[in-house]
Structure formats: C-alpha cells, structure tokens
Amino acid sequence: MATAGSKNFDEMLNADGSVRPAYEEFRQWFDGQDTTWLRRQDAEAERFFRRIGITFNVYGDDAGEERLIPFDMIPRIITAREWRKLTRGIEQRVRAINAFLQDLYHRQEIIRSGRLPIEALRNNEAFLSQMIGFTPPGGVYTHIVGIDLVRTGPDDFMVLEDNARTPSGVSYMLENRETMMAMFPELFTKVPVRPVSDYPRRLARSLRACAPAAYKGGKRPVVAVLTPGIYNSAYFEHAFLADQMGAELVEGSDLRVMDGRVCMRTTTGYKAIDVIYRRVDDDYLDPLTFNPNSVLGVAGIFDVYRSGGVTIANAPGTGIADDKAIYSYMPEIVEFYTGEKPILQNVPTWRCSEADSLGYVLDNLADLVVKEVHGSGGYGMLIGPTSSKKEIAEFEQKLRAKPGNYIAQPTLSLSTVPIFTKEGLAPRHVDLRPFVLVSPDGIDITPGGLTRVALKKGSLVVNSSQGGGTKDSWVLDE
Amino acid sequence: MLGRGANGVYWMSRYLERAENTARLIDVGFHLALTRGSRQSQDEEWKSVLTTTGQLEAYCETHSEFTGPQVFNFLLREKDNPGSVLAMVENARTNARVVRTSLTNAVWETTNEGWMNLRELLARPVRETSLGEVLREIRRTGTLVRGALEGTMLRNEVFNFSRIGTFIERADNTARILDVKYYVLLPSAAWVGSSLDNVQWDTLLRSVAGNRAYSWLNAGSMDPRGIAKFLILDGQFPRSLVFCFDKIRSNMAGLAKEYGVEVPAHELLRDAGARLHQTSIEEIFETGLHEFLQDFIGKTIEISSAIAADYRFSE
C-alpha cells in the first residue's frame, strides 16, 4: 500500500487536472466568485461560530478556555451513486454490530463457533458483565453510531473505526451546513444537496421508539440528554441536541432514583424520565455499579435500567463492539451475523498480541501506524513515516513491554479534498463520519456526515484536538 | 423546567443586572471624583463606591490607596476579584450556557457577544480616557439582553425566573445605594441648601439612573424627602423599591398560575409588598431611614432564599 505523500486519490480532480463529476457544478460556481469576497466570507464564518458559541474545550488547557474547530468552506462532495453503496455497507455493519452485542451478552455463539477467540473478551474493560443476560428495550444496543470511513480510491471506502459508544460531532455536521447556507445561499439553488437538518427530529423519534417497559403510553415518552456539564469538551453539542429535540438537558445532580424510575428535579418536584440519551461514559453512569467516585451519573440507575424503568442510549457495554482489539475481527463478525460478505472493507490490521504479527510490526515500524487498543482522539499512537528515529525507538520499548495493548495498520494513502487557503485551493487529507440511528423501526442514515480534514499539508491526523478542521459534507441528490 | 435551570436563568439575570449597576456606580464615582477638589474627598467617594458594592474589605486586602484608576480597575477587571464586572458577565454567560436550551438564540447570542466584547475591552487595564466606552458597553450589554428577553422569550416560567432575578438584584441595589448615602437625606440644619447637598442628591439619583426622571416629576426642584420617596415609593420609576417588588410579585404570580400552586415564598412576598405599599415616607423617616433600609435588605434576602428553596434551585 502506498504511503502518505505519494499519489493520493484527489476527490475533486482527475489525474489530468480535469474536474470529477461530483464537483463540476460546485467548481463552476467557485470559479465565478470574486476571491476577495470569498476571503471575507471565510473570516466571517469564524465570527459566526464564536457568536453562536460552537466551541469545544481542550482538556489540560486553561480552565474554561474555549476553542473553535476550524471550519473550511470548500464542501466535501459525494455522488448519489457513491452514497448508495456506502449506506448499504454502513447498514450491514451496524446491523452486525447490534447482533454481535446481543450475542456477546447472551449465548456467545460467535465464541462457541470459534470465529472470535475468548481472549478478545477476557480482561477487556469494555465488556460489562452487568449486561449479561439483559436485553435493552426494543433490542437496540447502539441507538447512535458514527462510523469513521476513509477513502483510498474511486470505489474504495474503508472503515477506520466503529464508534458505538457516544459518538460526537453531529452538531458540527448540522452547523456546518447552516453556515454554508448562510454564507452562500445561491450555491444551494445551483447544486442539489440532500438536506441534513432533520437529524434532531429523527434522533428524537428514534429514541422515543425505544421507550422502556415502564412507559405506559399516552403522552410522548420523556427524553433527556445527560451531559457531564459545561466543562465537557462536547457540551455545546449536548445543549444543541437537547434544544433541537425539545428534550431536557440534565446533569447527574438533577437526577435521582425514586419508586423504580429515574427522575429529574424540576421546579415543581421530581418527574420521571423514560429515555436518557447519555453523553457520559459507562464508567461514570452509576457510582453504585461502576466507578464509585463518579459524580456525573445517578446512584441506582443501573438497577432501574435492568428492571425496565428507563432506556439508556447507547446501552452500557456497547464499547466492546468498537474496541480496537475487536475491530480486526469485524469482517468475520459481519459475515457471521449477516451471512453476507462485508460491503465495506476493514483496514488490514495486525494484532500485536499475536507473536507473528508482533514480529512483522517490529520489523516495519517506520512504515506503520500503531495504535493503542483503548486509546482515542489520536493520542498515544505512532505514525511511522512521519516520526523521527528516536520517537520510533521509544515507541518500540512500549510496544515490546505490552504488545497486547497495540494494533498496527499500514499507512493508508488517504484521499484528499481541497481546502481554501491564502494561495487558493490546496488538497488535504480527510475522513468521514456518517451518523446512523438505530431503532426497532429500522436503521436511518443521515446523508453526509462529518468530514474532518487535516489542515496541515501532508498531515494524516484529522482529530480536532490535534489541529484538524471540519467541512460541510454534501451528498448529491439523484 | 429543571430546578437547576431556574437557578441558571435567575442568576444569569442577577449577574447582568449587578454588572450594570456596578458600571453606573463607577460612572458616578468617577464623575464626582472629578468635581471634588481635595484628594481626601476623592478618596472618600471611591471608598463609598466600594462600600456600596460590598467590596471595600476585599479591596483593602490588596490595595492601600484609593486612586480612581486603581479602584475602577479593581471593580471592572481585576483577576483576583470574583466580584469584578468581568467576572459577573462571565458568570452570567456561564449560567446562560447552563440553561442554553431554555433561551432563545437572540438571548443567548446577545449574552455571549456581550461577554466577548467586554472580555476584549477589559483585557488590558482601563485608563480614564477609555473608561466611558467600557461603561457604555457594560450598560449596552444589559440593555440588549433585556431587550432580547422582552422581544423573543415566551411569557412562561423561564421568563418569570429571569425577571425575578433582575428585580431582586435591582431592589437590593437601590436599597444599598440609599443605605450607604442615607445620611445625605437626613435633615441637618447646617447642610440644608448647601451646594454640597445638591451634588450629593444629584449623585444619588444618577447612580440609579433616576436624575432625569426625578426632575421630570418635580420640575427640577430637589429636596431630600422627595428624593427618598421617589427612590422608595414611586410606582412609576423602574428602580424604586416599590416598583421592583411589584414586578417580583407579578412574576411570582405568573409562576403560581402556570404551576397551579403557591409556595411559601408567595406569602412572604405578599406581606412584604403590602407593608411597602402601606407605608408613607413620613413613617419611614420616623422609624429611621437606615433602619427601614436594613430591614428591607434583610427581607429581600429572605425572599430570594425562599424562592430558591421552594422552586428547588439546588438539592
């Protein structure tokens, strides 16, 4: 596989410099605009984001300091045909993930069949023994999934990560579109872009469809978004979604368990909640069941959950499905539960826990990306081709000490999409996180998703915590 | 709505009101210090501004002089002063973030923008030449947020809690200003008619933005009793004690109507409001202006605690 910096797939331009069909209409519009005006709009966008407060907090920075995720105004464009194939693949994958979770917490057929070694579960903190034998309301484990995709060629999308816990970023998908429509309204009359704005309504409907046994019908199920609070890096998104759904935004301190229900403290007394869209991690949900020091959760919520008093979305224990150690088994998992070949490919992955693989990885560190099994946010990883000899040597020590903690992947030649720079358009690497809603009524995928872009030339790291930005993502109408 | 949410809108409004009142006090203090000759009497003015905002003690812990720039920078932006205008606007904005889902975009954005502007204006020490602009921006922020609330919010519990916060703070502020300066309104044979009194009376009115309103009502003539009556009992003046209490009452009535039930705070407020309406300025001076004001300030605190408890602001 090619390394970064060599010939990457450019999503806008063909090899001969002509514009690909997806970008034709956009490019025509873009070339007709006055560059000075575009620059002004670009600066305007940042002020707009600050004013409406789309900010995130960076851990370890000055407390309370809020940053913007840089927004790039060149859209990432996906054709209807490409999207059709993607959605089929995503749907298949999400179906498999739910079936996998159901199986893991019940009969564990996949382990009995020998397709997944029991070691993948043993000592894996993401597997919650408290969930064994319990089926969540509606049989849904992962109500909201964000599948991270990368593209390496015209028809090659690969899954980089399945975010099955509490994927974030959907508010950026929505606000990026709002911003683009505010800045360039006429552009949307020229290019047929599928809308994303009804995501919150679909999310609310999807969550309500998973009401618990204790909900007796009548008035709509009461939905609340549980946030760790205003200092959480994604607080803006929690408030945004609660607002758009017409749900309450609650913190652990607002909640208590009363008469077998989870209730929130209102000005007139305690009121039961049916569905909690939680944006706190499993470990912090219930100090009685998990981390006893947690002040973010609700004492006793897990008992209420198990007795059908409340729905928790996503279900606790779903992390086992997006664990990096499990990831390498996803092709087998998809096949085992759907009986079909996976439509979306995995990135080839070496499990360093296996002696042969470890040997290969140690021999080829300079060409590989090595990730911590439980890491996230682009931290604690080694990108071989862009690391110094010293960094590689240091990482080798860590790897040898705890090989089971790591997986390795080839450096992918990620596709590029142009960004707007002072010198004009310039290609940068991107990934894509479409957002998927799961309910007993079916699987619902919002057309597009969040495109993250590495703003630094040649960089492959798109994480917002490390200098990445975002783009509006367009799926063209048929 | 959530008790924590009610607490959020209530405090958001209180902090904004307090920031604005502090700005007005600084404005008046600055004005007065410019017109007072001796260094000593200038110091006295700044001291009384600090006393009114309840920050004299904190100031004296870190400062030994009372020059204008030192005092107003302390009140506006000093990092270690949790009662600075900047800290209050930040508190207001933090509370607005907490209750973001209960606010309209207009209210949130004006609050957020006000904070952004002030943070920039107050990033460096304020000089006498730029003080006016800074104070105007503080008042402007308060005005804009109030306007956005008025123009875009549903008339529901959220609005009620916000207004209650505003008027509790305002009542408390007017009472404290009066209490710090009450002696200038007392009959004193030696001072009556002196120009010093006139300046003091005018200052008092200015610090609650009431100088114009007062002269409209009184055709320009000033007397201490009339001023006291205006600031305490005038039903038209939006910063008088009676006016503030009437507003608190009508917003509490809104809550009772929406929730279909009264809480103990209603009873407290009814008693206090009735007493205020039944009293006359003669009676107030008879019992002692200072005693009356102390009693009023205590009552206001009692009522605000009752509201917080009855509506479950916290666990």
PDB file of all heavy atoms in Angstrom, chain A residues 426-450:
ATOM      1  N   ALA A 426      -6.087  23.958  -2.046  1.00  0.00           N
ATOM      2  CA  ALA A 426      -4.958  23.052  -1.819  1.00  0.00           C
ATOM      3  C   ALA A 426      -5.488  21.753  -1.234  1.00  0.00           C
ATOM      4  O   ALA A 426      -6.329  21.784  -0.339  1.00  0.00           O
ATOM      5  CB  ALA A 426      -3.954  23.695  -0.864  1.00  0.00           C
ATOM      6  N   PRO A 427      -5.020  20.596  -1.734  1.00  0.00           N
ATOM      7  CA  PRO A 427      -5.573  19.311  -1.270  1.00  0.00           C
ATOM      8  C   PRO A 427      -5.117  18.958   0.146  1.00  0.00           C
ATOM      9  O   PRO A 427      -3.965  19.209   0.508  1.00  0.00           O
ATOM     10  CB  PRO A 427      -4.995  18.310  -2.278  1.00  0.00           C
ATOM     11  CG  PRO A 427      -3.754  18.963  -2.815  1.00  0.00           C
ATOM     12  CD  PRO A 427      -4.006  20.441  -2.775  1.00  0.00           C
ATOM     13  N   ARG A 428      -6.045  18.415   0.927  1.00  0.00           N
ATOM     14  CA  ARG A 428      -5.716  17.954   2.280  1.00  0.00           C
ATOM     15  C   ARG A 428      -6.444  16.632   2.537  1.00  0.00           C
ATOM     16  O   ARG A 428      -7.528  16.396   2.006  1.00  0.00           O
ATOM     17  CB  ARG A 428      -6.179  18.970   3.327  1.00  0.00           C
ATOM     18  CG  ARG A 428      -5.444  20.297   3.299  1.00  0.00           C
ATOM     19  CD  ARG A 428      -3.995  20.171   3.751  1.00  0.00           C
ATOM     20  NE  ARG A 428      -3.339  21.464   3.850  1.00  0.00           N
ATOM     21  CZ  ARG A 428      -2.702  22.071   2.853  1.00  0.00           C
ATOM     22  NH1 ARG A 428      -2.664  21.508   1.652  1.00  0.00           N
ATOM     23  NH2 ARG A 428      -2.121  23.241   3.032  1.00  0.00           N
ATOM     24  N   HIS A 429      -5.858  15.845   3.436  1.00  0.00           N
ATOM     25  CA  HIS A 429      -6.457  14.531   3.739  1.00  0.00           C
ATOM     26  C   HIS A 429      -7.725  14.654   4.586  1.00  0.00           C
ATOM     27  O   HIS A 429      -7.811  15.523   5.455  1.00  0.00           O
ATOM     28  CB  HIS A 429      -5.433  13.658   4.463  1.00  0.00           C
ATOM     29  CG  HIS A 429      -4.245  13.356   3.622  1.00  0.00           C
ATOM     30  ND1 HIS A 429      -4.323  12.604   2.478  1.00  0.00           N
ATOM     31  CD2 HIS A 429      -2.941  13.735   3.727  1.00  0.00           C
ATOM     32  CE1 HIS A 429      -3.122  12.515   1.919  1.00  0.00           C
ATOM     33  NE2 HIS A 429      -2.262  13.203   2.658  1.00  0.00           N
ATOM     34  N   VAL A 430      -8.677  13.777   4.339  1.00  0.00           N
ATOM     35  CA  VAL A 430      -9.965  13.840   5.036  1.00  0.00           C
ATOM     36  C   VAL A 430     -10.407  12.453   5.499  1.00  0.00           C
ATOM     37  O   VAL A 430      -9.923  11.436   4.998  1.00  0.00           O
ATOM     38  CB  VAL A 430     -11.080  14.374   4.107  1.00  0.00           C
ATOM     39  CG1 VAL A 430     -10.872  15.833   3.776  1.00  0.00           C
ATOM     40  CG2 VAL A 430     -11.189  13.535   2.841  1.00  0.00           C
ATOM     41  N   ASP A 431     -11.327  12.425   6.454  1.00  0.00           N
ATOM     42  CA  ASP A 431     -12.096  11.203   6.700  1.00  0.00           C
ATOM     43  C   ASP A 431     -13.567  11.590   6.747  1.00  0.00           C
ATOM     44  O   ASP A 431     -13.911  12.753   6.486  1.00  0.00           O
ATOM     45  CB  ASP A 431     -11.628  10.469   7.968  1.00  0.00           C
ATOM     46  CG  ASP A 431     -12.081  11.126   9.254  1.00  0.00           C
ATOM     47  OD1 ASP A 431     -12.687  12.226   9.207  1.00  0.00           O
ATOM     48  OD2 ASP A 431     -11.831  10.552  10.330  1.00  0.00           O
ATOM     49  N   LEU A 432     -14.431  10.644   7.025  1.00  0.00           N
ATOM     50  CA  LEU A 432     -15.873  10.924   7.019  1.00  0.00           C
ATOM     51  C   LEU A 432     -16.546  10.129   8.130  1.00  0.00           C
ATOM     52  O   LEU A 432     -16.287   8.935   8.268  1.00  0.00           O
ATOM     53  CB  LEU A 432     -16.486  10.530   5.664  1.00  0.00           C
ATOM     54  CG  LEU A 432     -18.017  10.682   5.525  1.00  0.00           C
ATOM     55  CD1 LEU A 432     -18.419  12.154   5.568  1.00  0.00           C
ATOM     56  CD2 LEU A 432     -18.514  10.031   4.244  1.00  0.00           C
ATOM     57  N   ARG A 433     -17.367  10.821   8.931  1.00  0.00           N
ATOM     58  CA  ARG A 433     -18.134  10.114   9.960  1.00  0.00           C
ATOM     59  C   ARG A 433     -19.629  10.293   9.697  1.00  0.00           C
ATOM     60  O   ARG A 433     -20.212  11.292  10.119  1.00  0.00           O
ATOM     61  CB  ARG A 433     -17.783  10.615  11.357  1.00  0.00           C
ATOM     62  CG  ARG A 433     -18.643   9.972  12.457  1.00  0.00           C
ATOM     63  CD  ARG A 433     -18.291  10.450  13.852  1.00  0.00           C
ATOM     64  NE  ARG A 433     -16.956   9.991  14.217  1.00  0.00           N
ATOM     65  CZ  ARG A 433     -16.378  10.286  15.389  1.00  0.00           C
ATOM     66  NH1 ARG A 433     -17.011  11.027  16.285  1.00  0.00           N
ATOM     67  NH2 ARG A 433     -15.169   9.840  15.650  1.00  0.00           N
ATOM     68  N   PRO A 434     -20.251   9.341   8.995  1.00  0.00           N
ATOM     69  CA  PRO A 434     -21.710   9.406   8.862  1.00  0.00           C
ATOM     70  C   PRO A 434     -22.359   9.007  10.190  1.00  0.00           C
ATOM     71  O   PRO A 434     -21.790   8.228  10.961  1.00  0.00           O
ATOM     72  CB  PRO A 434     -22.023   8.354   7.783  1.00  0.00           C
ATOM     73  CG  PRO A 434     -20.722   8.002   7.168  1.00  0.00           C
ATOM     74  CD  PRO A 434     -19.685   8.233   8.221  1.00  0.00           C
ATOM     75  N   PHE A 435     -23.543   9.563  10.446  1.00  0.00           N
ATOM     76  CA  PHE A 435     -24.250   9.264  11.689  1.00  0.00           C
ATOM     77  C   PHE A 435     -25.453   8.372  11.414  1.00  0.00           C
ATOM     78  O   PHE A 435     -26.242   8.625  10.515  1.00  0.00           O
ATOM     79  CB  PHE A 435     -24.670  10.562  12.376  1.00  0.00           C
ATOM     80  CG  PHE A 435     -23.487  11.321  12.872  1.00  0.00           C
ATOM     81  CD1 PHE A 435     -22.896  12.306  12.101  1.00  0.00           C
ATOM     82  CD2 PHE A 435     -22.918  11.012  14.101  1.00  0.00           C
ATOM     83  CE1 PHE A 435     -21.774  12.992  12.538  1.00  0.00           C
ATOM     84  CE2 PHE A 435     -21.789  11.683  14.549  1.00  0.00           C
ATOM     85  CZ  PHE A 435     -21.218  12.678  13.774  1.00  0.00           C
ATOM     86  N   VAL A 436     -25.548   7.322  12.219  1.00  0.00           N
ATOM     87  CA  VAL A 436     -26.529   6.266  11.989  1.00  0.00           C
ATOM     88  C   VAL A 436     -27.423   6.150  13.215  1.00  0.00           C
ATOM     89  O   VAL A 436     -26.933   6.118  14.344  1.00  0.00           O
ATOM     90  CB  VAL A 436     -25.815   4.913  11.772  1.00  0.00           C
ATOM     91  CG1 VAL A 436     -26.814   3.872  11.302  1.00  0.00           C
ATOM     92  CG2 VAL A 436     -24.661   5.064  10.793  1.00  0.00           C
ATOM     93  N   LEU A 437     -28.740   6.131  12.984  1.00  0.00           N
ATOM     94  CA  LEU A 437     -29.689   5.958  14.076  1.00  0.00           C
ATOM     95  C   LEU A 437     -30.325   4.579  13.976  1.00  0.00           C
ATOM     96  O   LEU A 437     -30.725   4.151  12.898  1.00  0.00           O
ATOM     97  CB  LEU A 437     -30.787   7.028  13.985  1.00  0.00           C
ATOM     98  CG  LEU A 437     -30.296   8.472  14.093  1.00  0.00           C
ATOM     99  CD1 LEU A 437     -31.429   9.444  13.800  1.00  0.00           C
ATOM    100  CD2 LEU A 437     -29.717   8.723  15.479  1.00  0.00           C
ATOM    101  N   VAL A 438     -30.410   3.912  15.125  1.00  0.00           N
ATOM    102  CA  VAL A 438     -30.980   2.567  15.139  1.00  0.00           C
ATOM    103  C   VAL A 438     -32.171   2.550  16.086  1.00  0.00           C
ATOM    104  O   VAL A 438     -32.083   3.022  17.210  1.00  0.00           O
ATOM    105  CB  VAL A 438     -29.942   1.524  15.615  1.00  0.00           C
ATOM    106  CG1 VAL A 438     -30.511   0.124  15.492  1.00  0.00           C
ATOM    107  CG2 VAL A 438     -28.642   1.661  14.838  1.00  0.00           C
ATOM    108  N   SER A 439     -33.283   2.033  15.609  1.00  0.00           N
ATOM    109  CA  SER A 439     -34.457   1.866  16.474  1.00  0.00           C
ATOM    110  C   SER A 439     -35.188   0.617  16.001  1.00  0.00           C
ATOM    111  O   SER A 439     -34.838   0.053  14.959  1.00  0.00           O
ATOM    112  CB  SER A 439     -35.365   3.099  16.368  1.00  0.00           C
ATOM    113  OG  SER A 439     -36.127   3.036  15.179  1.00  0.00           O
ATOM    114  N   PRO A 440     -36.195   0.171  16.752  1.00  0.00           N
ATOM    115  CA  PRO A 440     -36.937  -1.004  16.287  1.00  0.00           C
ATOM    116  C   PRO A 440     -37.568  -0.756  14.918  1.00  0.00           C
ATOM    117  O   PRO A 440     -37.918  -1.705  14.215  1.00  0.00           O
ATOM    118  CB  PRO A 440     -38.018  -1.183  17.362  1.00  0.00           C
ATOM    119  CG  PRO A 440     -37.481  -0.502  18.569  1.00  0.00           C
ATOM    120  CD  PRO A 440     -36.656   0.638  18.063  1.00  0.00           C
ATOM    121  N   ASP A 441     -37.735   0.510  14.537  1.00  0.00           N
ATOM    122  CA  ASP A 441     -38.324   0.821  13.235  1.00  0.00           C
ATOM    123  C   ASP A 441     -37.330   0.693  12.088  1.00  0.00           C
ATOM    124  O   ASP A 441     -37.718   0.781  10.923  1.00  0.00           O
ATOM    125  CB  ASP A 441     -38.881   2.259  13.217  1.00  0.00           C
ATOM    126  CG  ASP A 441     -39.916   2.465  14.311  1.00  0.00           C
ATOM    127  OD1 ASP A 441     -40.517   1.451  14.724  1.00  0.00           O
ATOM    128  OD2 ASP A 441     -40.099   3.612  14.750  1.00  0.00           O
ATOM    129  N   GLY A 442     -36.050   0.568  12.407  1.00  0.00           N
ATOM    130  CA  GLY A 442     -35.082   0.411  11.337  1.00  0.00           C
ATOM    131  C   GLY A 442     -33.824   1.237  11.534  1.00  0.00           C
ATOM    132  O   GLY A 442     -33.610   1.827  12.593  1.00  0.00           O
ATOM    133  N   ILE A 443     -33.017   1.251  10.479  1.00  0.00           N
ATOM    134  CA  ILE A 443     -31.740   1.965  10.526  1.00  0.00           C
ATOM    135  C   ILE A 443     -31.839   3.181   9.621  1.00  0.00           C
ATOM    136  O   ILE A 443     -32.291   3.091   8.486  1.00  0.00           O
ATOM    137  CB  ILE A 443     -30.600   1.033  10.081  1.00  0.00           C
ATOM    138  CG1 ILE A 443     -30.403  -0.062  11.144  1.00  0.00           C
ATOM    139  CG2 ILE A 443     -29.308   1.817   9.876  1.00  0.00           C
ATOM    140  CD1 ILE A 443     -29.393  -1.107  10.773  1.00  0.00           C
ATOM    141  N   ASP A 444     -31.430   4.318  10.165  1.00  0.00           N
ATOM    142  CA  ASP A 444     -31.616   5.586   9.479  1.00  0.00           C
ATOM    143  C   ASP A 444     -30.259   6.289   9.383  1.00  0.00           C
ATOM    144  O   ASP A 444     -29.623   6.556  10.400  1.00  0.00           O
ATOM    145  CB  ASP A 444     -32.618   6.405  10.309  1.00  0.00           C
ATOM    146  CG  ASP A 444     -32.961   7.729   9.652  1.00  0.00           C
ATOM    147  OD1 ASP A 444     -32.838   7.825   8.425  1.00  0.00           O
ATOM    148  OD2 ASP A 444     -33.348   8.660  10.385  1.00  0.00           O
ATOM    149  N   ILE A 445     -29.825   6.557   8.162  1.00  0.00           N
ATOM    150  CA  ILE A 445     -28.509   7.182   7.974  1.00  0.00           C
ATOM    151  C   ILE A 445     -28.685   8.564   7.365  1.00  0.00           C
ATOM    152  O   ILE A 445     -29.291   8.704   6.312  1.00  0.00           O
ATOM    153  CB  ILE A 445     -27.614   6.329   7.055  1.00  0.00           C
ATOM    154  CG1 ILE A 445     -27.587   4.880   7.550  1.00  0.00           C
ATOM    155  CG2 ILE A 445     -26.211   6.899   6.984  1.00  0.00           C
ATOM    156  CD1 ILE A 445     -26.910   3.924   6.601  1.00  0.00           C
ATOM    157  N   THR A 446     -28.191   9.573   8.046  1.00  0.00           N
ATOM    158  CA  THR A 446     -28.307  10.942   7.522  1.00  0.00           C
ATOM    159  C   THR A 446     -27.335  11.110   6.356  1.00  0.00           C
ATOM    160  O   THR A 446     -26.164  10.760   6.495  1.00  0.00           O
ATOM    161  CB  THR A 446     -27.983  11.960   8.632  1.00  0.00           C
ATOM    162  OG1 THR A 446     -28.873  11.706   9.720  1.00  0.00           O
ATOM    163  CG2 THR A 446     -28.173  13.384   8.155  1.00  0.00           C
ATOM    164  N   PRO A 447     -27.820  11.621   5.222  1.00  0.00           N
ATOM    165  CA  PRO A 447     -26.956  11.721   4.043  1.00  0.00           C
ATOM    166  C   PRO A 447     -25.809  12.710   4.256  1.00  0.00           C
ATOM    167  O   PRO A 447     -26.042  13.909   4.393  1.00  0.00           O
ATOM    168  CB  PRO A 447     -27.894  12.201   2.924  1.00  0.00           C
ATOM    169  CG  PRO A 447     -29.092  12.756   3.617  1.00  0.00           C
ATOM    170  CD  PRO A 447     -29.189  12.101   4.958  1.00  0.00           C
ATOM    171  N   GLY A 448     -24.617  12.189   4.337  1.00  0.00           N
ATOM    172  CA  GLY A 448     -23.443  13.038   4.554  1.00  0.00           C
ATOM    173  C   GLY A 448     -22.756  12.602   5.831  1.00  0.00           C
ATOM    174  O   GLY A 448     -22.417  11.443   5.985  1.00  0.00           O
ATOM    175  N   GLY A 449     -22.621  13.532   6.753  1.00  0.00           N
ATOM    176  CA  GLY A 449     -21.933  13.227   7.997  1.00  0.00           C
ATOM    177  C   GLY A 449     -20.939  14.316   8.282  1.00  0.00           C
ATOM    178  O   GLY A 449     -21.053  15.425   7.767  1.00  0.00           O
ATOM    179  N   LEU A 450     -19.977  13.989   9.106  1.00  0.00           N
ATOM    180  CA  LEU A 450     -18.968  14.982   9.446  1.00  0.00           C
ATOM    181  C   LEU A 450     -17.671  14.643   8.719  1.00  0.00           C
ATOM    182  O   LEU A 450     -17.127  13.558   8.886  1.00  0.00           O
ATOM    183  CB  LEU A 450     -18.725  14.988  10.959  1.00  0.00           C
ATOM    184  CG  LEU A 450     -17.662  15.984  11.427  1.00  0.00           C
ATOM    185  CD1 LEU A 450     -18.139  17.413  11.220  1.00  0.00           C
ATOM    186  CD2 LEU A 450     -17.308  15.745  12.881  1.00  0.00           C
TER     187      LEU A 450
END
